[in-house]
Amino acid sequence: MEKKINSRMFLMGIMAMVLTVVMTVSIYHKAFEKQQKEDIRLYGRLLQDVCENIDDYSQLAVYADEEMRVTVISAEGIVVYENNADMGIMGNHLDRSEIASAFEKGTGESVRESDTMGQQTYYYALLLNNGDVLRVAMDLDRMFSGYNHALMGIGVVALAVMFISVAFSVMLTKSLVKPIEKMAENLDDIDKEVPYVELKPFAAAVKNYNLQKEHHALIRQEFTANVSHELKTPLTSISGYAEMIENGMAKESDIKLFAGKIHFESKRLINLIADILKLSELDEGKSDISVIKEEIDLFEASRNVVNRLLFKAQQSDIKLELVGEKAAILGSRMQIEEMIYNLCDNAIRYNKQGGFVRVKVGKTDGKAEVSVSDNGIGIPEEHQERVFERFYRVDKSRSKATGGTGLGLAIVKHAAKNHKGKINLKSKPNVGTEIKITFEK
Ligand code: ADP
């Protein structure tokens, strides 16, 4: 990041500098040329005055500057005075544009390569009172020699500015990045010292992520402790009964009873492990409905569940019924049936003799929903929010006695969440319970 900011700042600096130099040089070039030509014309006008007051053009030598060519041309185009070249080799000058213009309008100027000196030259010519033309001229090289010196100066200054700007950009980037690096050193309290307002949402997101991570770690830790405890209890009693049989401490008549207990506890273990596996699958997103997406009719799914539980309900003297109509959703059939199964299973287990369990499927405002209601023991208000937590039970001994694992409603909650279903629980102790899942359209 530091490198990126540095190189970008440097590039921007260079671009700005090059642009400034190019523009300054071109403006300066134009202004300098204008000024130089103006000076040459002024010099010409001065010499014009001088010419009016001398008898012989050779006296011009006193006033002529050696950098400047001074020429006088007669009306016939013959060079009658020249300070810097041999007059003998100079031809007729009437065809020179500045001379022709001076004879015609009084003054004339031009820029061209000199026939005599062979260099690009600026000429300015003026008509004298006696009908001759005075011409002053200067090589462009000489004219711009001062300017070229100035250009070198500009180049040196530009280089110096470049080095200074590199140094500044390095310093500036360091001072910009340092607080961010410092912020990253303390991720736990990242929101405490946020150097720039723009980084506040980022810091808040990191903090939130950290909190969530901590929360998940805590839940996982708690879950592991609970699982170990839940596994240990049945295993301890299995081991105890088995040991008594092994040592011959169990009477002949007890052996059948103990075997029954071992059978019951091992079934509980199997159920528990199955539920843990289901939950961990839901956790890992293996059965995420984005992977398994099929059309499921809630009514048909409920009928399958009811058929599986009819015998259990009959045994407990509970009336299990299914009412309603077709209502389709998209998702995982296995998760949906598991969800309805757990709700019905609870409604049977936490019921009274002669009670009923009603599964109702339908649509409200176009949203598919399934509800399971019973007239069982109900859930006291203070427990209602917590029963969906893993291993949370209102009455532990009743849960265990009826083969509960404490994970049934946690699985319901997970499966509903995977299908974007909302859970609604209504319950009154000794009156009954209704749990309704409403799915998004
Ligand atoms: P469990 O395996 O113990 O039934 P669940 O997660 O399925 O675990 O349910 C958590 C607790 O919620 C149960 O132990 C029970 O106390 C209570 N509960 C669940 N369903 C009902 C219901 N229909 N009526 C009364 N209490 C219920």
Side-chain angles (χ1 to χ4, degrees), residues 96-113:
R96 311 290 205 271
S97 67
E98 74 280 3
I99 307 284
S101 166
F103 277 123
E104 199 186 329
K105 299 180 208 152
T107 59
E109 64 179 334
S110 71
V111 175
R112 62 188 154 74
E113 195 167 302

Side-chain angles (χ1 to χ4, degrees), residues 6 50 65 77 103 110 152 184 204 209-210 212-213 272 331 425 430:
N6 257 335
V50 172
D65 182 330
F103 277 123
S110 71
M152 269 172 63
Y209 173 75
N210 282 345
Q212 264 184 19
K213 224 170 75 180
L272 180 64
L425 181 147
N430 293 320

Side-chain angles (χ1 to χ4, degrees), residues 341-357:
Y341 184 96
N342 286 357
L343 291 176
C344 293
D345 188 47
N346 281 352
I348 295 168
R349 287 192 296 118
Y350 301 106
N351 217 317
K352 295 166 192 162
Q353 218 187 354
F356 73 82
V357 173

Side-chain angles (χ1 to χ4, degrees), residues 48-309:
Q48 186 186 29
D49 268 357
V50 172
C51 284
E52 306 301 346
N53 298 308
I54 52 174
D55 317 321
D56 188 345
Y57 288 131
S58 64
Q59 290 172 344
L60 275 176
V62 181
Y63 304 96
D65 182 330
E66 64 180 40
E67 289 196 343
M68 194 83 76
R69 267 181 73 199
V70 180
T71 317
V72 180
I73 300 107
S74 71
E76 292 75 35
I78 296 161
V79 175
V80 291
Y81 173 77
E82 162 69 46
N83 72 327
N84 251 351
D86 184 357
M87 285 193 291
I89 60 160
M90 297 172 77
N92 192 295
H93 269 49
L94 280 185
D95 60 340
R96 311 290 205 271
S97 67
E98 74 280 3
I99 307 284
S101 166
F103 277 123
E104 199 186 329
K105 299 180 208 152
T107 59
E109 64 179 334
S110 71
V111 175
R112 62 188 154 74
E113 195 167 302
S114 155
D115 290 345
T116 323
M117 310 303 241
Q119 274 164 336
Q120 281 287 323
T121 309
Y122 172 66
Y123 295 98
Y124 183 61
L126 303 119
L127 185 64
L128 298 176
N129 281 342
N130 63 1
D132 289 345
V133 161
L134 165 77
R135 187 185 70 177
V136 287
M138 191 186 240
D139 299 344
L140 291 190
D141 276 357
R142 280 219 177 116
M143 211 166 107
F144 282 107
S145 70
Y147 170 78
N148 290 340
H149 271 105
L151 260 193
M152 269 172 63
I154 291 178
V156 171
V157 170
L159 268 177
V161 168
M162 200 176 82
F163 280 118
I164 292 171
S165 69
V166 168
F168 261 113
S169 78
V170 169
M171 266 161 57
L172 197 72
T173 313
K174 273 214 157 67
S175 74
L176 275 173
V177 171
K178 207 171 177 152
I180 300 176
E181 284 174 346
K182 206 176 153 208
M183 186 175 105
E185 278 169 15
N186 189 6
L187 284 181
D188 286 341
D189 285 321
I190 193 165
D191 57 334
K192 290 266 159 64
E193 262 181 75
V194 185
Y196 308 115
V197 192
E198 293 79 1
L199 284 180
K200 280 204 165 148
F202 169 72
V206 173
K207 179 81 185 174
N208 195 16
Y209 173 75
N210 282 345
L211 285 177
Q212 264 184 19
K213 224 170 75 180
E214 272 170 31
H215 182 65
H216 279 139
L218 206 78
I219 287 183
R220 207 160 291 149
Q221 222 175 2
E222 229 172 66
F223 182 65
T224 316
N226 277 331
V227 167
S228 315
H229 179 77
E230 295 287 334
L231 288 176
K232 205 175 150 204
T233 322
L235 277 174
T236 312
S237 59
I238 290 172
S239 157
Y241 290 126
E243 197 182 353
M244 289 211 295
I245 296 170
E246 188 186 26
N247 294 345
M249 279 163 74
K251 285 184 256 156
E252 193 66 32
S253 57
D254 287 340
I255 288 181
K256 207 171 172 222
L257 179 80
F258 286 2
K261 298 227 183 225
I262 289 173
H263 184 204
F264 176 80
E265 293 295 346
S266 13
K267 244 168 78 182
R268 211 153 76 78
L269 268 179
I270 291 167
N271 284 344
L272 180 64
I273 288 164
D275 275 0
I276 291 170
L277 284 177
K278 271 178 224 151
L279 257 184
S280 84
E281 262 179 37
L282 287 169
D283 258 350
E284 283 169 19
K286 266 192 199 156
S287 6
D288 194 333
I289 51 154
S290 58
V291 185
I292 312 159
K293 226 176 203 173
E294 54 175 319
E295 195 179 288
I296 307 150
D297 175 17
L298 289 177
F299 194 82
E300 195 196 313
S302 302
R303 192 166 44 212
N304 291 342
V305 171
V306 167
N307 285 341
R308 271 157 64 198
L309 280 169

